[in-house]
Amino acid sequence: RDSDQHKSDRTSAAKFSSTALPTPENMTIKHAKAVYKGVVIAESDSCQLVEGNLYFPPSSIDIDHFTPSSLSTTCGWKGTASYYTVAVKDDQLESVAWYYPKPKEAAQHIKGHVAFYQGRGIIIETD
């Protein structure tokens, strides 16, 4: 997950500014939803904010829009990330969502939680 390409995708094209999100890192967000093509694909009152990304609990995603991807990446402190392709109607975004199925100890609080690359078509809304 820490590849330079992924960092630049996330940083340069984000639909929200991390300064607009609550701080400090790892705190719970009041309410958030992920929207693609006008369809809510995830919504929760208990997301976790980690390194500027919102992680949605596994139970909050609409699994009908998610297909496992073959992509995996590694983060030094979180572990190995697995990815999902997201599809709505006839449109799909390859490997646009990631999660840590077996995170390292320091990231246990986001085990299975799903985060999104907003700049690739996913819009994150918070309140």
Side-chain angles (χ1 to χ4, degrees), residues 35-114:
V35 180
Y36 178 52
K37 297 288 184 180
V39 175
V40 176
I41 57 173
E43 186 167 13
S44 178
D45 293 330
S46 57
C47 291
Q48 297 291 316
L49 178 62
V50 179
E51 298 181 327
N53 295 297
L54 285 179
Y55 284 79
F56 288 79
S59 61
S60 71
I61 67 168
D62 184 347
I63 199 65
D64 292 339
H65 297 290
F66 292 77
T67 304
S69 165
S70 61
L71 180 65
S72 68
T73 56
T74 302
C75 170
W77 73 272
K78 291 183 291 245
T80 301
S82 296
Y83 286 75
Y84 286 118
T85 292
V86 173
V88 170
K89 302 170 187 159
D90 292 330
D91 294 309
Q92 72 175 26
L93 297 171
E94 287 289 326
S95 303
V96 72
W98 72 92
Y99 65 101
Y100 294 89
K102 296 178 183 175
K104 292 184 176 184
E105 188 174 333
Q108 285 297 310
H109 64 289
I110 58 167
K111 181 177 182 175
H113 285 52
V114 179

Side-chain angles (χ1 to χ4, degrees), residues 4-62:
D4 289 336
Q5 175 193 353
H6 286 224
K7 281 183 180 178
S8 66
D9 286 349
R10 182 177 71 234
T11 306
S12 64
K15 293 291 183 190
F16 64 85
S17 165
S18 61
T19 59
L21 295 173
T23 56
E25 290 289 352
N26 304 330
M27 74 179 290
T28 301
I29 303 302
K30 182 178 177 183
H31 182 85
K33 59 184 169 180
V35 180
Y36 178 52
K37 297 288 184 180
V39 175
V40 176
I41 57 173
E43 186 167 13
S44 178
D45 293 330
S46 57
C47 291
Q48 297 291 316
L49 178 62
V50 179
E51 298 181 327
N53 295 297
L54 285 179
Y55 284 79
F56 288 79
S59 61
S60 71
I61 67 168
D62 184 347

